[in-house]
Amino acid sequence: MSGWGIQTVGGVLGGAGNGDEPVTVLVAGSRETASGLHSALLGDVRFRVLAVATTPMDVKAKLAMEPDALLLDGTVFEGPEELTQTIGGYRGDAFVLLPAGVPPSAADAVRAIPAVRDVLVGEVNFVELAGRIYETARARKQAAASGAGRAVFAGARPAGTTAAAGWRAIAVWSPQGGVGKSTIATSLALESASRRLPTILIGLGAPDPIPLSMGLRSEPNITTWLEDPTPEKLRLCIQKFDTLDVLGGFPDPVALAGYIPRAQEGAASLPSLANAAAYAGYAVVIFDVSSQELAAPALVASNALVLVARPTLNGLLQTVEAVRLVNDTMAGQHSIAREAVHLVINRYRDSTFQPTEFVKSGGDVRGDFPSLAASVPDDPEIEAAHNRQRPGYLHSEHLRKAMAALGNVLLSAPVEARSVATVGERKVKRFGPLRIRM
Ligand SMILES: Nc1ncnc2c1ncn2[C@@H]1O[C@H](COP(=O)(O)OP(=O)(O)OP(=O)(O)O)[C@@H](O)[C@H]1O
Ligand SMILES: [Mg+2]
């Protein structure tokens, strides 16, 4: 493994203290509302529902579990006074839903409770609300963890974006050079953005070819973010390619070498960069892991992995070794489940293995060899597009088809069921007097 120049991360998860754990939530409301909200949060990997409470007494008792956030249907309380008495001492982030028609003075009285971050009166958009709860709780936890008096970064996402339920940080990697990591990472990012998911593509090459291949400038880039590694600064470092946000990688190998000691832990690490992207409102973060030196911290920062493979004998060997690294050598150091490792075969043609042969051979070697998420044939359009500073995704039908398949695996149900991609069709559910757009 040392042949790849990879250092595995020692100790526990590099993200410790950076909020890799989900936001814990206490859901309170009438039986019907509480179970509706509960099931909506269940499929969302950003949250862990600690308990459901259905009466004021129940809420008070269960607040002893110290949830990060409290999502509350205000109608279980008789009025603002009872609500104040119940959650007056709570130190997390409370979000209160009230039915349309409550007097503004009552809503104001609820707003005045210290823990209350927001009071939502009338119809509620659940996807937006979940994004707000997540960002607020994560920002407060991070501020508490860092001990810094930095302004809490809440509710300030880029205009027009909404966090999708089910946050994804996806590492696109292969231990082999030139197999199409940057091509696949860029294409997947464009596919994600085309599904209206707020997406950031982060280049990690040195020098990084992504800006050039998309007709963007080489600056600002990741080294600009490293000067002040905060979510606010991240916003200033991105460049736009249509609706996709791009953070370019390192200008040269010297800049990369200087970064390596900081990549695994601390405010400037890759796990911290993934967190900053979550705070900044991105639902999908895609790392193009084109520098082997950053493979280990990029895996620690991610919760899904796309392994890109050439369908050759060497490609097979490299892919088997990659699976070994992720599932054996680095086991316990990252949060990429085995089912979250996906294989993309790139540049197959008549003289290479065919995708099914490749997967079969891999499966003969390792039982945990990933299943095939997509395959891309060798297509001269892709290289030709790159040479004209255009993403291959926009010029190769084969690549787009493969990315649609990969996107279905990585970006859709149960996530997409509530993602912004379905905004138009989302149903309004009634819970007693509350109306929630799920
Ligand atoms: N399916 C394909 N058909 C034809 N050309 C391709 C295909 N995929 C990638 N290429 C071309 O192969 C070259 C290498 O691709 P890319 O830069 O994406 O690989 P990489 O793994 O990121 O390389 P590196 O290890 O240098 O970072 C590029 O010129 C790209 O245009
Ligand atoms: Mg590359």
Side-chain angles (χ1 to χ4, degrees), residues 23-27 37 41 46-47 68-72 93-97 117-118 120 124 126-140 154-155 157 163 279:
V23 166
T24 57
V25 188
L26 173 62
V27 177
L37 292 171
L41 287 170
R46 295 173 301 176
F47 300 102
D68 297 322
L70 174 60
L71 178 55
L72 204 85
D93 301 312
F95 293 80
V96 182
L97 313 182
R117 303 286 172 260
D118 211 347
L120 299 108
V124 171
F126 183 79
V127 173
E128 273 174 23
L129 174 62
R132 285 247 289 293
I133 296 173
Y134 180 72
E135 284 173 23
T136 308
R138 289 265 296 224
R140 183 176 48 73
R157 84 177 57 239
Y279 287 119

mmCIF file of all heavy atoms in Angstrom, residues 23-27 37 41 46-47 68-72 93-97 117-118 120 124 126-140 154-155 157 163 279:
data_model
loop_
_atom_site.group_PDB
_atom_site.id
_atom_site.type_symbol
_atom_site.label_atom_id
_atom_site.label_comp_id
_atom_site.label_asym_id
_atom_site.label_seq_id
_atom_site.Cartn_x
_atom_site.Cartn_y
_atom_site.Cartn_z
ATOM 1 N N VAL A 23 -27.122 14.985 13.822
ATOM 2 C CA VAL A 23 -27.748 15.890 14.787
ATOM 3 C C VAL A 23 -28.860 15.104 15.494
ATOM 4 O O VAL A 23 -29.713 14.502 14.845
ATOM 5 C CB VAL A 23 -28.311 17.115 14.038
ATOM 6 C CG1 VAL A 23 -29.264 17.916 14.925
ATOM 7 C CG2 VAL A 23 -27.174 17.981 13.521
ATOM 8 N N THR A 24 -28.844 15.090 16.829
ATOM 9 C CA THR A 24 -29.878 14.365 17.562
ATOM 10 C C THR A 24 -31.097 15.265 17.750
ATOM 11 O O THR A 24 -30.971 16.459 17.990
ATOM 12 C CB THR A 24 -29.358 13.877 18.928
ATOM 13 O OG1 THR A 24 -28.899 15.005 19.671
ATOM 14 C CG2 THR A 24 -28.226 12.884 18.761
ATOM 15 N N VAL A 25 -32.265 14.667 17.622
ATOM 16 C CA VAL A 25 -33.497 15.450 17.635
ATOM 17 C C VAL A 25 -34.523 14.807 18.565
ATOM 18 O O VAL A 25 -34.680 13.585 18.590
ATOM 19 C CB VAL A 25 -34.128 15.519 16.217
ATOM 20 C CG1 VAL A 25 -35.307 16.489 16.201
ATOM 21 C CG2 VAL A 25 -33.114 15.938 15.177
ATOM 22 N N LEU A 26 -35.208 15.635 19.315
ATOM 23 C CA LEU A 26 -36.416 15.202 20.024
ATOM 24 C C LEU A 26 -37.599 15.776 19.244
ATOM 25 O O LEU A 26 -37.651 16.982 18.987
ATOM 26 C CB LEU A 26 -36.412 15.736 21.467
ATOM 27 C CG LEU A 26 -37.694 15.501 22.273
ATOM 28 C CD1 LEU A 26 -37.983 14.014 22.446
ATOM 29 C CD2 LEU A 26 -37.600 16.172 23.649
ATOM 30 N N VAL A 27 -38.504 14.898 18.864
ATOM 31 C CA VAL A 27 -39.687 15.324 18.120
ATOM 32 C C VAL A 27 -40.868 15.337 19.079
ATOM 33 O O VAL A 27 -41.092 14.356 19.795
ATOM 34 C CB VAL A 27 -39.972 14.357 16.948
ATOM 35 C CG1 VAL A 27 -41.250 14.762 16.230
ATOM 36 C CG2 VAL A 27 -38.802 14.344 15.977
ATOM 37 N N LEU A 37 -43.612 13.604 11.555
ATOM 38 C CA LEU A 37 -42.303 14.266 11.540
ATOM 39 C C LEU A 37 -41.197 13.244 11.766
ATOM 40 O O LEU A 37 -40.136 13.297 11.145
ATOM 41 C CB LEU A 37 -42.248 15.345 12.631
ATOM 42 C CG LEU A 37 -43.157 16.553 12.417
ATOM 43 C CD1 LEU A 37 -43.187 17.430 13.663
ATOM 44 C CD2 LEU A 37 -42.693 17.375 11.208
ATOM 45 N N LEU A 41 -37.994 12.322 9.318
ATOM 46 C CA LEU A 41 -36.584 12.478 9.709
ATOM 47 C C LEU A 41 -35.823 11.160 9.652
ATOM 48 O O LEU A 41 -34.601 11.155 9.506
ATOM 49 C CB LEU A 41 -36.492 13.042 11.134
ATOM 50 C CG LEU A 41 -36.862 14.517 11.298
ATOM 51 C CD1 LEU A 41 -36.961 14.881 12.778
ATOM 52 C CD2 LEU A 41 -35.837 15.418 10.613
ATOM 53 N N ARG A 46 -28.750 12.804 8.125
ATOM 54 C CA ARG A 46 -28.195 13.904 8.925
ATOM 55 C C ARG A 46 -28.715 13.905 10.352
ATOM 56 O O ARG A 46 -28.166 14.566 11.218
ATOM 57 C CB ARG A 46 -28.549 15.263 8.286
ATOM 58 C CG ARG A 46 -27.915 15.457 6.929
ATOM 59 C CD ARG A 46 -28.436 16.717 6.281
ATOM 60 N NE ARG A 46 -29.877 16.687 6.111
ATOM 61 C CZ ARG A 46 -30.590 17.698 5.635
ATOM 62 N NH1 ARG A 46 -29.990 18.813 5.279
ATOM 63 N NH2 ARG A 46 -31.894 17.596 5.491
ATOM 64 N N PHE A 47 -29.803 13.159 10.596
ATOM 65 C CA PHE A 47 -30.448 13.233 11.904
ATOM 66 C C PHE A 47 -30.548 11.871 12.584
ATOM 67 O O PHE A 47 -30.651 10.840 11.923
ATOM 68 C CB PHE A 47 -31.878 13.789 11.752
ATOM 69 C CG PHE A 47 -31.911 15.162 11.164
ATOM 70 C CD1 PHE A 47 -32.238 15.351 9.836
ATOM 71 C CD2 PHE A 47 -31.596 16.263 11.935
ATOM 72 C CE1 PHE A 47 -32.266 16.610 9.293
ATOM 73 C CE2 PHE A 47 -31.626 17.535 11.391
ATOM 74 C CZ PHE A 47 -31.961 17.708 10.060
ATOM 75 N N ASP A 68 -29.742 17.649 20.476
ATOM 76 C CA ASP A 68 -29.176 18.853 19.841
ATOM 77 C C ASP A 68 -30.293 19.796 19.413
ATOM 78 O O ASP A 68 -30.143 21.006 19.454
ATOM 79 C CB ASP A 68 -28.373 18.477 18.583
ATOM 80 C CG ASP A 68 -27.184 17.596 18.909
ATOM 81 O OD1 ASP A 68 -26.565 17.832 19.958
ATOM 82 O OD2 ASP A 68 -26.885 16.680 18.114
ATOM 83 N N ALA A 69 -31.396 19.204 18.953
ATOM 84 C CA ALA A 69 -32.481 20.041 18.440
ATOM 85 C C ALA A 69 -33.826 19.494 18.904
ATOM 86 O O ALA A 69 -33.975 18.305 19.176
ATOM 87 C CB ALA A 69 -32.438 20.081 16.911
ATOM 88 N N LEU A 70 -34.776 20.406 18.981
ATOM 89 C CA LEU A 70 -36.132 20.054 19.405
ATOM 90 C C LEU A 70 -37.080 20.534 18.319
ATOM 91 O O LEU A 70 -37.081 21.724 17.967
ATOM 92 C CB LEU A 70 -36.410 20.768 20.735
ATOM 93 C CG LEU A 70 -37.814 20.688 21.323
ATOM 94 C CD1 LEU A 70 -38.199 19.244 21.592
ATOM 95 C CD2 LEU A 70 -37.873 21.497 22.627
ATOM 96 N N LEU A 71 -37.839 19.613 17.771
ATOM 97 C CA LEU A 71 -38.814 19.972 16.735
ATOM 98 C C LEU A 71 -40.200 19.764 17.339
ATOM 99 O O LEU A 71 -40.569 18.646 17.701
ATOM 100 C CB LEU A 71 -38.605 19.091 15.501
ATOM 101 C CG LEU A 71 -39.575 19.293 14.338
ATOM 102 C CD1 LEU A 71 -39.614 20.747 13.894
ATOM 103 C CD2 LEU A 71 -39.163 18.407 13.160
ATOM 104 N N LEU A 72 -40.926 20.848 17.432
ATOM 105 C CA LEU A 72 -42.092 20.872 18.304
ATOM 106 C C LEU A 72 -43.333 21.366 17.593
ATOM 107 O O LEU A 72 -43.328 22.418 16.963
ATOM 108 C CB LEU A 72 -41.724 21.875 19.401
ATOM 109 C CG LEU A 72 -42.396 21.792 20.732
ATOM 110 C CD1 LEU A 72 -41.652 20.785 21.586
ATOM 111 C CD2 LEU A 72 -42.294 23.150 21.399
ATOM 112 N N ASP A 93 -31.374 23.810 20.219
ATOM 113 C CA ASP A 93 -32.061 24.641 19.229
ATOM 114 C C ASP A 93 -33.490 24.149 19.049
ATOM 115 O O ASP A 93 -33.701 23.028 18.601
ATOM 116 C CB ASP A 93 -31.345 24.552 17.879
ATOM 117 C CG ASP A 93 -29.904 25.012 17.990
ATOM 118 O OD1 ASP A 93 -29.679 26.084 18.573
ATOM 119 O OD2 ASP A 93 -29.013 24.278 17.515
ATOM 120 N N ALA A 94 -34.446 24.990 19.374
ATOM 121 C CA ALA A 94 -35.844 24.588 19.260
ATOM 122 C C ALA A 94 -36.497 25.243 18.048
ATOM 123 O O ALA A 94 -36.265 26.419 17.750
ATOM 124 C CB ALA A 94 -36.605 24.954 20.530
ATOM 125 N N PHE A 95 -37.311 24.462 17.347
ATOM 126 C CA PHE A 95 -38.078 24.945 16.194
ATOM 127 C C PHE A 95 -39.537 24.614 16.468
ATOM 128 O O PHE A 95 -39.864 23.459 16.727
ATOM 129 C CB PHE A 95 -37.598 24.263 14.912
ATOM 130 C CG PHE A 95 -36.195 24.674 14.547
ATOM 131 C CD1 PHE A 95 -35.111 24.091 15.185
ATOM 132 C CD2 PHE A 95 -35.964 25.659 13.608
ATOM 133 C CE1 PHE A 95 -33.812 24.474 14.879
ATOM 134 C CE2 PHE A 95 -34.669 26.052 13.286
ATOM 135 C CZ PHE A 95 -33.592 25.464 13.927
ATOM 136 N N VAL A 96 -40.379 25.623 16.414
ATOM 137 C CA VAL A 96 -41.768 25.442 16.827
ATOM 138 C C VAL A 96 -42.702 25.665 15.634
ATOM 139 O O VAL A 96 -42.590 26.680 14.931
ATOM 140 C CB VAL A 96 -42.126 26.416 17.976
ATOM 141 C CG1 VAL A 96 -43.566 26.185 18.434
ATOM 142 C CG2 VAL A 96 -41.157 26.232 19.148
ATOM 143 N N LEU A 97 -43.607 24.716 15.421
ATOM 144 C CA LEU A 97 -44.599 24.843 14.354
ATOM 145 C C LEU A 97 -45.931 25.267 14.963
ATOM 146 O O LEU A 97 -46.380 24.670 15.934
ATOM 147 C CB LEU A 97 -44.781 23.500 13.640
ATOM 148 C CG LEU A 97 -43.518 22.732 13.241
ATOM 149 C CD1 LEU A 97 -43.895 21.449 12.506
ATOM 150 C CD2 LEU A 97 -42.630 23.598 12.366
ATOM 151 N N ARG A 117 -35.247 29.022 17.973
ATOM 152 C CA ARG A 117 -34.526 29.617 16.840
ATOM 153 C C ARG A 117 -35.503 30.088 15.770
ATOM 154 O O ARG A 117 -35.194 30.970 14.996
ATOM 155 C CB ARG A 117 -33.570 28.597 16.219
ATOM 156 C CG ARG A 117 -32.572 28.019 17.163
ATOM 157 C CD ARG A 117 -31.453 29.008 17.520
ATOM 158 N NE ARG A 117 -30.654 28.428 18.583
ATOM 159 C CZ ARG A 117 -30.780 28.759 19.866
ATOM 160 N NH1 ARG A 117 -31.610 29.711 20.237
ATOM 161 N NH2 ARG A 117 -30.058 28.158 20.789
ATOM 162 N N ASP A 118 -36.642 29.424 15.714
ATOM 163 C CA ASP A 118 -37.590 29.812 14.674
ATOM 164 C C ASP A 118 -38.999 29.343 15.036
ATOM 165 O O ASP A 118 -39.163 28.288 15.638
ATOM 166 C CB ASP A 118 -37.172 29.190 13.329
ATOM 167 C CG ASP A 118 -37.583 30.080 12.162
ATOM 168 O OD1 ASP A 118 -38.378 31.019 12.384
ATOM 169 O OD2 ASP A 118 -37.116 29.828 11.044
ATOM 170 N N LEU A 120 -42.529 28.688 13.023
ATOM 171 C CA LEU A 120 -43.058 28.616 11.668
ATOM 172 C C LEU A 120 -44.570 28.543 11.746
ATOM 173 O O LEU A 120 -45.124 27.589 12.295
ATOM 174 C CB LEU A 120 -42.483 27.407 10.943
ATOM 175 C CG LEU A 120 -40.946 27.500 10.843
ATOM 176 C CD1 LEU A 120 -40.274 26.509 11.765
ATOM 177 C CD2 LEU A 120 -40.486 27.318 9.429
ATOM 178 N N VAL A 124 -45.673 24.559 6.331
ATOM 179 C CA VAL A 124 -44.231 24.445 6.509
ATOM 180 C C VAL A 124 -43.637 23.608 5.391
ATOM 181 O O VAL A 124 -44.190 22.575 5.035
ATOM 182 C CB VAL A 124 -43.927 23.775 7.875
ATOM 183 C CG1 VAL A 124 -42.452 23.441 7.995
ATOM 184 C CG2 VAL A 124 -44.371 24.675 9.010
ATOM 185 N N PHE A 126 -41.019 21.106 4.672
ATOM 186 C CA PHE A 126 -40.213 20.240 5.528
ATOM 187 C C PHE A 126 -38.746 20.186 5.099
ATOM 188 O O PHE A 126 -37.842 20.163 5.927
ATOM 189 C CB PHE A 126 -40.797 18.820 5.555
ATOM 190 C CG PHE A 126 -40.034 17.933 6.486
ATOM 191 C CD1 PHE A 126 -40.242 18.000 7.847
ATOM 192 C CD2 PHE A 126 -39.072 17.068 6.002
ATOM 193 C CE1 PHE A 126 -39.506 17.213 8.719
ATOM 194 C CE2 PHE A 126 -38.334 16.275 6.861
ATOM 195 C CZ PHE A 126 -38.557 16.354 8.217
ATOM 196 N N VAL A 127 -38.494 20.154 3.786
ATOM 197 C CA VAL A 127 -37.112 20.038 3.306
ATOM 198 C C VAL A 127 -36.289 21.242 3.758
ATOM 199 O O VAL A 127 -35.170 21.125 4.259
ATOM 200 C CB VAL A 127 -37.076 19.899 1.767
ATOM 201 C CG1 VAL A 127 -35.657 19.954 1.250
ATOM 202 C CG2 VAL A 127 -37.734 18.595 1.355
ATOM 203 N N GLU A 128 -36.894 22.420 3.621
ATOM 204 C CA GLU A 128 -36.183 23.630 4.061
ATOM 205 C C GLU A 128 -35.982 23.636 5.563
ATOM 206 O O GLU A 128 -34.928 23.995 6.064
ATOM 207 C CB GLU A 128 -36.976 24.875 3.652
ATOM 208 C CG GLU A 128 -36.622 25.321 2.260
ATOM 209 C CD GLU A 128 -37.498 26.468 1.779
ATOM 210 O OE1 GLU A 128 -38.061 27.202 2.631
ATOM 211 O OE2 GLU A 128 -37.619 26.587 0.569
ATOM 212 N N LEU A 129 -37.026 23.227 6.266
ATOM 213 C CA LEU A 129 -36.948 23.211 7.720
ATOM 214 C C LEU A 129 -35.845 22.257 8.180
ATOM 215 O O LEU A 129 -35.029 22.603 9.035
ATOM 216 C CB LEU A 129 -38.307 22.785 8.306
ATOM 217 C CG LEU A 129 -38.341 22.584 9.827
ATOM 218 C CD1 LEU A 129 -38.010 23.886 10.544
ATOM 219 C CD2 LEU A 129 -39.710 22.077 10.269
ATOM 220 N N ALA A 130 -35.799 21.053 7.584
ATOM 221 C CA ALA A 130 -34.772 20.082 7.972
ATOM 222 C C ALA A 130 -33.383 20.661 7.726
ATOM 223 O O ALA A 130 -32.477 20.517 8.554
ATOM 224 C CB ALA A 130 -34.966 18.775 7.206
ATOM 225 N N GLY A 131 -33.206 21.343 6.604
ATOM 226 C CA GLY A 131 -31.915 21.972 6.302
ATOM 227 C C GLY A 131 -31.546 23.003 7.361
ATOM 228 O O GLY A 131 -30.399 23.082 7.798
ATOM 229 N N ARG A 132 -32.527 23.806 7.767
ATOM 230 C CA ARG A 132 -32.277 24.840 8.781
ATOM 231 C C ARG A 132 -31.905 24.241 10.130
ATOM 232 O O ARG A 132 -30.981 24.692 10.802
ATOM 233 C CB ARG A 132 -33.511 25.714 8.948
ATOM 234 C CG ARG A 132 -33.696 26.685 7.817
ATOM 235 C CD ARG A 132 -33.508 28.116 8.295
ATOM 236 N NE ARG A 132 -34.633 28.517 9.130
ATOM 237 C CZ ARG A 132 -35.873 28.663 8.680
ATOM 238 N NH1 ARG A 132 -36.133 28.451 7.405
ATOM 239 N NH2 ARG A 132 -36.839 29.032 9.476
ATOM 240 N N ILE A 133 -32.656 23.205 10.527
ATOM 241 C CA ILE A 133 -32.377 22.564 11.820
ATOM 242 C C ILE A 133 -30.952 22.016 11.806
ATOM 243 O O ILE A 133 -30.170 22.220 12.724
ATOM 244 C CB ILE A 133 -33.376 21.412 12.104
ATOM 245 C CG1 ILE A 133 -34.793 21.966 12.228
ATOM 246 C CG2 ILE A 133 -32.990 20.642 13.360
ATOM 247 C CD1 ILE A 133 -35.872 20.892 12.334
ATOM 248 N N TYR A 134 -30.636 21.356 10.711
ATOM 249 C CA TYR A 134 -29.319 20.741 10.595
ATOM 250 C C TYR A 134 -28.208 21.785 10.696
ATOM 251 O O TYR A 134 -27.274 21.665 11.477
ATOM 252 C CB TYR A 134 -29.238 19.992 9.262
ATOM 253 C CG TYR A 134 -27.917 19.324 9.028
ATOM 254 C CD1 TYR A 134 -27.561 18.187 9.756
ATOM 255 C CD2 TYR A 134 -27.008 19.821 8.116
ATOM 256 C CE1 TYR A 134 -26.345 17.570 9.564
ATOM 257 C CE2 TYR A 134 -25.791 19.220 7.916
ATOM 258 C CZ TYR A 134 -25.473 18.082 8.642
ATOM 259 O OH TYR A 134 -24.260 17.474 8.456
ATOM 260 N N GLU A 135 -28.331 22.824 9.907
ATOM 261 C CA GLU A 135 -27.267 23.834 9.892
ATOM 262 C C GLU A 135 -27.132 24.538 11.223
ATOM 263 O O GLU A 135 -26.030 24.792 11.700
ATOM 264 C CB GLU A 135 -27.542 24.867 8.803
ATOM 265 C CG GLU A 135 -27.215 24.330 7.436
ATOM 266 C CD GLU A 135 -27.653 25.286 6.352
ATOM 267 O OE1 GLU A 135 -27.791 26.484 6.650
ATOM 268 O OE2 GLU A 135 -27.874 24.823 5.242
ATOM 269 N N THR A 136 -28.256 24.863 11.820
ATOM 270 C CA THR A 136 -28.220 25.589 13.086
ATOM 271 C C THR A 136 -27.545 24.743 14.165
ATOM 272 O O THR A 136 -26.651 25.209 14.870
ATOM 273 C CB THR A 136 -29.650 25.961 13.532
ATOM 274 O OG1 THR A 136 -30.291 26.625 12.451
ATOM 275 C CG2 THR A 136 -29.636 26.867 14.737
ATOM 276 N N ALA A 137 -27.962 23.477 14.262
ATOM 277 C CA ALA A 137 -27.414 22.616 15.311
ATOM 278 C C ALA A 137 -25.935 22.350 15.061
ATOM 279 O O ALA A 137 -25.122 22.386 15.982
ATOM 280 C CB ALA A 137 -28.201 21.306 15.381
ATOM 281 N N ARG A 138 -25.580 22.107 13.800
ATOM 282 C CA ARG A 138 -24.174 21.825 13.510
ATOM 283 C C ARG A 138 -23.315 23.039 13.807
ATOM 284 O O ARG A 138 -22.226 22.935 14.336
ATOM 285 C CB ARG A 138 -24.009 21.425 12.046
ATOM 286 C CG ARG A 138 -24.584 20.057 11.759
ATOM 287 C CD ARG A 138 -23.555 18.979 11.841
ATOM 288 N NE ARG A 138 -22.558 19.167 10.813
ATOM 289 C CZ ARG A 138 -22.072 18.188 10.060
ATOM 290 N NH1 ARG A 138 -22.498 16.961 10.219
ATOM 291 N NH2 ARG A 138 -21.146 18.429 9.160
ATOM 292 N N ALA A 139 -23.796 24.218 13.442
ATOM 293 C CA ALA A 139 -23.017 25.437 13.655
ATOM 294 C C ALA A 139 -22.814 25.657 15.149
ATOM 295 O O ALA A 139 -21.714 25.989 15.592
ATOM 296 C CB ALA A 139 -23.731 26.630 13.028
ATOM 297 N N ARG A 140 -23.865 25.451 15.937
ATOM 298 C CA ARG A 140 -23.733 25.673 17.375
ATOM 299 C C ARG A 140 -22.777 24.648 17.976
ATOM 300 O O ARG A 140 -21.930 24.982 18.789
ATOM 301 C CB ARG A 140 -25.097 25.569 18.057
ATOM 302 C CG ARG A 140 -25.043 25.865 19.556
ATOM 303 C CD ARG A 140 -26.424 25.844 20.182
ATOM 304 N NE ARG A 140 -27.212 24.674 19.824
ATOM 305 C CZ ARG A 140 -26.986 23.447 20.289
ATOM 306 N NH1 ARG A 140 -26.019 23.228 21.155
ATOM 307 N NH2 ARG A 140 -27.727 22.444 19.891
ATOM 308 N N ALA A 154 -25.571 30.486 10.698
ATOM 309 C CA ALA A 154 -26.853 29.793 10.580
ATOM 310 C C ALA A 154 -27.783 30.560 9.661
ATOM 311 O O ALA A 154 -27.781 31.772 9.625
ATOM 312 C CB ALA A 154 -27.497 29.655 11.945
ATOM 313 N N GLY A 155 -28.548 29.811 8.930
ATOM 314 C CA GLY A 155 -29.600 30.413 8.126
ATOM 315 C C GLY A 155 -29.098 31.318 7.025
ATOM 316 O O GLY A 155 -29.840 32.125 6.501
ATOM 317 N N ARG A 157 -27.616 30.385 3.983
ATOM 318 C CA ARG A 157 -27.219 29.617 2.806
ATOM 319 C C ARG A 157 -27.342 30.485 1.550
ATOM 320 O O ARG A 157 -28.051 31.475 1.545
ATOM 321 C CB ARG A 157 -28.072 28.370 2.694
ATOM 322 C CG ARG A 157 -29.367 28.621 2.006
ATOM 323 C CD ARG A 157 -30.224 27.431 1.809
ATOM 324 N NE ARG A 157 -30.553 26.735 3.025
ATOM 325 C CZ ARG A 157 -30.242 25.471 3.216
ATOM 326 N NH1 ARG A 157 -29.574 24.831 2.311
ATOM 327 N NH2 ARG A 157 -30.605 24.864 4.305
ATOM 328 N N ALA A 163 -31.102 22.631 1.187
ATOM 329 C CA ALA A 163 -30.391 21.393 1.468
ATOM 330 C C ALA A 163 -31.299 20.212 1.177
ATOM 331 O O ALA A 163 -32.450 20.208 1.561
ATOM 332 C CB ALA A 163 -29.962 21.360 2.918
ATOM 333 N N TYR A 279 -22.301 23.283 6.123
ATOM 334 C CA TYR A 279 -22.797 24.529 6.720
ATOM 335 C C TYR A 279 -23.185 25.529 5.644
ATOM 336 O O TYR A 279 -24.122 26.291 5.796
ATOM 337 C CB TYR A 279 -21.732 25.198 7.574
ATOM 338 C CG TYR A 279 -21.461 24.510 8.865
ATOM 339 C CD1 TYR A 279 -20.203 24.007 9.132
ATOM 340 C CD2 TYR A 279 -22.455 24.373 9.815
ATOM 341 C CE1 TYR A 279 -19.934 23.366 10.315
ATOM 342 C CE2 TYR A 279 -22.193 23.725 11.000
ATOM 343 C CZ TYR A 279 -20.935 23.228 11.249
ATOM 344 O OH TYR A 279 -20.676 22.597 12.407
#
